């Protein structure tokens, strides 16, 4: 395992993942494309002090994007591509949870 590499890039917070967090204790992260499941499990356990049950990974393809710019009255069209990236869905053992926002709720 390489110590100087950042494995967890950012958490993925969507409505779908929020439902999975509450019902199935699943959390999603964008991870380093070269990271394997063992490295991801270790990084999550060290960073959040939890016990990981399962790690699933998905290689996401970057979307093609088009851009049109007017220059001197003429449209100039160009096409680019977003970067490919890797997503990891981590399932935690019962009794563990991750507070991604670090906010306490008081009433």
């Amino acid at each position: 395992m390489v110590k100087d590499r950042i494995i967890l890039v950012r958490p993925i917070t969507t409505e779908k993942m929020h439902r999975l967090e509450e019902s199935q204790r699943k959390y999603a992260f964008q991870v380093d494309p070269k990271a394997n499941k063992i490295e991801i499990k270790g990084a999550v356990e060290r960073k959040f002090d939890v016990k990981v049950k399962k790690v699933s990974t998905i290689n996401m393809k970057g979307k093609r994007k088009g851009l049109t710019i007017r220059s001197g009255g003429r449209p100039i069209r160009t096409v680019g591509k977003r970067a490919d990236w890797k997503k990891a869905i981590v399932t935690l053992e019962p009794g563990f949870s991750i507070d991604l926002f670090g906010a306490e709720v008081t009433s």
Side-chain angles (χ1 to χ4, degrees):
M1 177 166 63
V2 180
K3 296 266 184 192
D4 60 347
R5 189 171 84 200
I6 297 173
I7 294 174
L8 300 176
V9 177
R10 67 180 179 94
I12 298 172
T13 54
T14 60
E15 287 184 36
K16 181 178 182 179
M17 286 313 306
H18 186 67
R19 286 194 304 269
L20 288 174
E21 288 169 13
E22 292 176 344
S23 63
Q24 301 177 19
R25 297 177 319 278
K26 291 187 178 186
Y27 297 85
F29 297 93
Q30 180 179 347
V31 296
D32 179 27
K34 296 178 184 174
N36 61 33
K37 292 180 180 184
I38 297 167
E39 292 173 333
I40 295 166
K41 178 180 178 179
V44 170
E45 287 180 345
R46 281 191 307 275
K47 183 165 182 79
F48 298 106
D49 195 29
V50 294
K51 190 94 167 121
V52 174
K53 181 177 182 180
K54 179 182 173 184
V55 177
S56 301
T57 58
I58 306 155
N59 287 313
M60 308 294 287
K61 292 285 186 184
K63 295 179 181 178
R64 293 180 57 80
K65 290 293 198 178
L67 178 67
T68 304
I69 301 171
R70 285 204 171 273
S71 175
R74 294 184 344 194
I76 299 172
R77 293 184 182 90
T78 182
V79 178
K81 183 178 174 291
R82 289 189 179 168
D84 297 339
W85 57 287
K86 188 173 195 175
K87 176 167 48 173
I89 298 176
V90 178
T91 305
L92 301 181
E93 292 284 348
F96 289 96
S97 66
I98 296 175
D99 184 12
L100 293 174
F101 300 106
E104 289 186 20
V105 178
T106 57
S107 55

